[in-house]
Amino acid sequence: MTIEQIVFSAVTDVLKTLYDIDAEKGLIQLQNTRKDFKGDITLVVFPFLKYSKKSPEDTAFEIGTIIRKNVKEVESFNVVKGFLNIEFENGYWIKELENARQNTHFGISATNKNAELVMVEYSSPNTNKPLHLGHIRNNLLGFSLSEILKANGYKVVKTNIVNDRGIHICKSMLAWLKWGKGQTPENTGKKGDHLLGELYVEFDRHYKQEIAGLLEKGLSQKEAEEQAPSILEARDLLRKWESGDIEVVELWKTMNGWVYNGFDITYRRLGVDFDKIYYESDTYLVGKDEVLRGLQEGIFYEKDDGSVWADLTSEGLDHKLLLRSDGTSVYITQDIGTAKLRFHDYSINKMIYVVGNEQNYHFQVLAALLDKLGYKWGKGLYHFSYGMVELPTGKMKSREGTVVDADDLMEGMVKVARDMAKELGKLDSLTEEEAKKIYEIIALGALKYYILKVDPKKNMMFNPEESIDFNGNTGPFIQYTHARIQSVLRKSAEKKLAVDKNLTNYPEKLSFKEKELIKRIVQFPEVVKEAGGNYSPAFIANYCYELAKEFNQFYHDHPIIGENDKSVRELRLLMSAVVGKVIKDGMSLLGIEVPDRM
RNA sequence: GCCUCGGUAGCUCAGUUGGAUAGAGCAACUGCCUUCUAAGCAGUAGGUCAUGGGUUCGAAUCCCGUCCGGGGUACCA
């Protein structure tokens, strides 16, 4: 039992005997004791005053006295104002530590057969440009969230919906036909997604020039945008694609293939993957059929120009376009189709969409539409809405070239990691290949931690001018702590100082730092649970940092291998091993690897 | 305009269901490597928690107003 559970139940009993009240939820407030007071857990007694009719101090004292008598693990207590600080005996903490070591599922639940199935959609790229920092945040959050849900016992299917059709890809195709013909990833040496990104920019350059020309001829901005030859040609390509024109479809397949090869490289380096990939080209017609069914059943309505709409005013939303007047589908149409296919393919208990908060409205609408169409799971979909990554110059925009490219960013980080390691001379004894692997782990660790430590809901700032830190509250700090621990464990093994299977003989006293460290270790399962309940990788990241920091303080103050007292030495070795394990498990929930040396 | 999210140290961020003296890191300054990895540890300095009210034993946290910023707002995705 956790210390919270023990004290909670004890306090419940005390309240009954002392004041004859049945504690309702929220009445018993427990918190970790602040470090500057003596104790492990603190009960806030203010809520009991109206029952005790005594001062906060007296109330705390009488509760403390009984708890001390009733709970054998309680060593002592003290009262500060309305706060009852309770201290547990060392034996309790040692036992908890042992449990953390022995329990192979410490903090990480095994999935059972009856577990609920959660589908997590993330990444969802367009195939006309390479991935950028915004996608990185999405991918890392989606992957980490999936790992955290698994650790909480859910079955998880990671899925990706690839936006492989539509006007955007036609723009890149047109640019290739007109200005880039003959270029391939092979003969240019460019990554496929980057090649398409360049073509897309090329299209936009021409398009803008044409608009400028038309504006000079006296057309309005809107007219110019509609009548520029490039956009007309791109639309023509889209129509040909939709009608199955063999040449256009072949080109589309080829160019998308280039992009997928590029994406695969980025995904692999980033360490994310998917169990099932959907393509919009397969789902948009399903969505269209669903909309037409809704129209037939009178759920939706048609305007004079032929466009199809949903009236969502009764849900507090607005009227929403579902099919354009020319019969083509819009963004939300394909989401309807994709949802239908997914629930057909899997028995999903919960659907989570990892999509930026700019689409909050979109997902409210989607939930309402699915509900109207008769899907019982429609209202239960969860939009994991995360904040934007902002640059000092503002929002990232692909077309304006103000994006931080995912591949460039990772490559740059690896370079920094390499330079730093060489400067410190840490990896000189390793082969170049081994060292390279570690640079990669450190660089990606720095990047991932930097992104994931921030509350997902909030916008975050990234300044490309300042490189991401490797010191302080960072991924490498935590990785370093792990490497340091492994180093100690290696040395202790060489000296045959390893700990027994069971720690039978433990010291009477724990130092302040030792106990603080054990307390921190023991929190891990609760943190995993909260991270799952709140969909927040940041909880895990912050915990890992606190744990690593706690260990480093302990490490600085206490010899481990050099300790002469056998029982103390073994306890410290054991603590080190458990911290190493928890760091490794915790970081893996963030998709971050930890090296054994660095 | 309306809807929505946010504003905590110079910068980037934490801050649990409202609890004790609001915390980290970076940047600045000071110490600590003949002893288990100094990508570390310890210290100094840095705050009107945007702002004005309210709720109460107690507010960064809850409520209302104001200011500032992001996002959305019917044929982009």
Side-chain angles (χ1 to χ4, degrees), chain A residues 427-437 439:
Chain A
L427 302 174
D428 294 350
S429 62
L430 299 183
T431 66
E432 182 59 25
E433 200 172 328
E434 289 169 326
K436 233 173 134 176
K437 206 172 159 192
Y439 305 147

Side-chain angles (χ1 to χ4, degrees), chain A residues 168-195:
Chain A
H168 51 83
I169 177 76
C170 290
K171 289 176 180 175
S172 293
M173 284 159 61
L174 184 76
W176 186 84
L177 286 167
K178 294 185 79 162
W179 309 296
K181 204 145 187 180
Q183 287 187 22
T184 66
E186 290 75 25
N187 69 26
T188 58
K190 286 173 188 159
K191 221 163 138 268
D193 50 336
H194 287 260
L195 177 59

Side-chain angles (χ1 to χ4, degrees), chain A residues 70 134 153 165 194 249 265 286 319 325 337 451 457-458 544 582:
Chain A
N70 289 355
R165 64 158 285 280
H194 287 260
V249 170
I265 291 168
V286 178
H319 292 257
S325 45
I451 301 274
K457 291 193 287 289
K458 291 190 179 172
C544 287
V582 173

Side-chain angles (χ1 to χ4, degrees), chain A residues 148-280:
Chain A
I148 290 168
L149 291 172
K150 282 187 214 165
N152 276 282
Y154 293 99
K155 276 188 278 187
V156 175
V157 175
K158 290 176 281 188
T159 186
N160 188 356
I161 171 77
V162 180
N163 217 320
D164 61 343
R165 64 158 285 280
I167 192 71
H168 51 83
I169 177 76
C170 290
K171 289 176 180 175
S172 293
M173 284 159 61
L174 184 76
W176 186 84
L177 286 167
K178 294 185 79 162
W179 309 296
K181 204 145 187 180
Q183 287 187 22
T184 66
E186 290 75 25
N187 69 26
T188 58
K190 286 173 188 159
K191 221 163 138 268
D193 50 336
H194 287 260
L195 177 59
L196 255 81
E198 287 174 17
L199 289 166
Y200 187 68
V201 171
E202 186 70 8
F203 170 90
D204 205 58
R205 206 166 58 81
H206 282 88
Y207 181 42
K208 285 221 170 89
Q209 277 175 7
E210 292 166 8
I211 290 174
L214 292 172
L215 284 175
E216 272 178 30
K217 286 185 187 164
L219 274 69
S220 74
Q221 179 73 29
K222 201 169 176 184
E223 286 169 337
E225 282 173 11
E226 288 298 310
Q227 293 174 24
S230 291
I231 193 69
L232 294 177
E233 288 179 79
R235 291 227 173 94
D236 190 47
L237 271 184
L238 181 57
R239 266 190 297 276
K240 282 184 176 156
W241 181 88
E242 293 210 1
S243 66
D245 182 293
I246 291 174
E247 272 181 40
V248 172
V249 170
E250 277 308 310
L251 176 63
W252 171 79
K253 276 187 187 160
T254 304
M255 290 181 70
N256 270 339
W258 296 344
V259 173
Y260 298 147
N261 290 337
F263 283 174
D264 281 348
I265 291 168
T266 308
Y267 284 145
R268 208 174 310 132
R269 191 168 203 184
L270 203 51
V272 303
D273 56 12
F274 306 95
D275 303 306
K276 170 77 179 173
I277 298 181
Y278 289 90
Y279 296 91
E280 191 193 330

Side-chain angles (χ1 to χ4, degrees), chain A residues 481-493:
Chain A
T481 307
H482 181 267
R484 194 181 225 186
I485 289 168
Q486 297 316 312
S487 171
V488 170
L489 296 179
R490 277 194 299 273
K491 292 222 164 110
S492 78

Side-chain angles (χ1 to χ4, degrees), chain A residues 303-408:
Chain A
K303 281 193 182 172
D304 293 341
D305 62 3
S307 55
V308 179
W309 296 75
D311 179 359
L312 302 174
T313 47
S314 60
E315 339 270 318
L317 301 168
D318 218 324
H319 292 257
K320 176 72 189 173
L321 174 85
L322 301 177
L323 288 177
R324 295 194 187 94
S325 45
D326 64 1
T328 57
S329 40
V330 291
Y331 179 44
I332 199 135
T333 323
Q334 55 106 0
D335 265 343
I336 294 170
T338 309
K340 186 183 175 184
L341 280 183
R342 283 172 174 161
F343 280 85
H344 173 264
D345 294 347
Y346 297 89
S347 53
I348 299 170
N349 298 97
K350 190 163 194 73
M351 180 73 219
I352 299 178
Y353 294 85
V354 181
V355 180
N357 63 13
E358 56 194 352
Q359 294 190 30
N360 286 351
Y361 184 72
H362 173 83
F363 280 97
Q364 281 181 41
V365 171
L366 182 63
L369 288 176
L370 292 173
D371 192 51
K372 273 187 182 294
L373 283 166
Y375 297 117
K376 63 176 189 300
W377 35 264
K379 283 220 157 137
L381 71 81
Y382 182 76
H383 176 204
F384 179 93
S385 163
Y386 64 90
M388 301 285 96
V389 182
E390 289 168 358
L391 305 176
T393 49
K395 208 186 162 187
M396 282 189 271
K397 291 189 179 118
S398 294
R399 266 176 296 186
E400 293 174 19
T402 57
V403 294
V404 176
D405 180 77
D407 297 314
D408 293 349

